[in-house]
Amino acid sequence: MDRDKENESQAPCRLLPVLIDLSEKHVCVIGDAPEAERYARLLAACTKHLSVLCEKGSEALQAMADEGRISLLKQLYSREVLYGMDVVFCVSGSEVLIRDVSAICRTMGITLYTASRPDKSDFMLDMDRFTD
């Protein structure tokens, strides 16, 4: 086989489509409504260990918490929220928050998805495929 063809066939794939089993994972969504609601609705069907950090909350998030589908944390972001998490979905548009969450997740080995900064994410998610 020609050397160039051999190198082409062994070139690493940057992205690999995968399915993630979140059923027993501790997952956290960080962001403001309505974006946090959108992700919470999707993820609540995937895990029974879902925390949503949304400072102001919303009626929809409160209803999910009252039903026992999520743990709603109506507070300012603090790094301690990430302790014990396996996967974090940072759906905030705040660059400062994204940088801090990214740094902590990297340090703690937590898988991270950032909605507005795919370069900070460990994986990509096409949320347009998930309709309300």
Side-chain angles (χ1 to χ4, degrees), residues 62-80:
Q62 187 60 57
M64 291 177 74
D66 293 344
E67 295 166 2
R69 297 174 57 207
I70 67 169
S71 173
L72 179 58
L73 309 170
K74 292 185 198 177
Q75 63 187 54
L76 289 172
Y77 164 77
S78 67
R79 294 176 174 187
E80 290 77 20

Side-chain angles (χ1 to χ4, degrees), residues 19-36:
L19 300 173
I20 302 172
D21 180 358
L22 296 176
S23 59
E24 294 300 321
K25 302 293 185 197
H26 292 266
V27 179
C28 183
V29 174
I30 301 172
D32 297 319
E35 205 59 12

Side-chain angles (χ1 to χ4, degrees), residues 39-97:
Y39 282 83
R41 279 192 297 274
L42 170 66
L43 294 168
C46 300
T47 181
K48 57 186 173 201
H49 308 289
L50 179 60
S51 299
V52 179
L53 177 68
C54 186
E55 183 182 349
K56 296 180 183 173
S58 70
E59 288 182 20
L61 288 171
Q62 187 60 57
M64 291 177 74
D66 293 344
E67 295 166 2
R69 297 174 57 207
I70 67 169
S71 173
L72 179 58
L73 309 170
K74 292 185 198 177
Q75 63 187 54
L76 289 172
Y77 164 77
S78 67
R79 294 176 174 187
E80 290 77 20
V81 170
L82 303 179
Y83 298 164
M85 294 298 162
D86 298 305
V87 182
V88 172
F89 288 76
C90 186
V91 299
S92 170
S94 166
E95 188 63 33
V96 172
L97 178 62

Side-chain angles (χ1 to χ4, degrees), residues 2-22:
D2 180 286
R3 227 181 172 162
D4 291 333
K5 288 182 181 176
E6 183 178 320
N7 287 338
E8 282 178 22
S9 67
Q10 295 178 357
C13 179
R14 185 177 175 292
L15 297 173
L16 179 67
V18 297
L19 300 173
I20 302 172
D21 180 358
L22 296 176

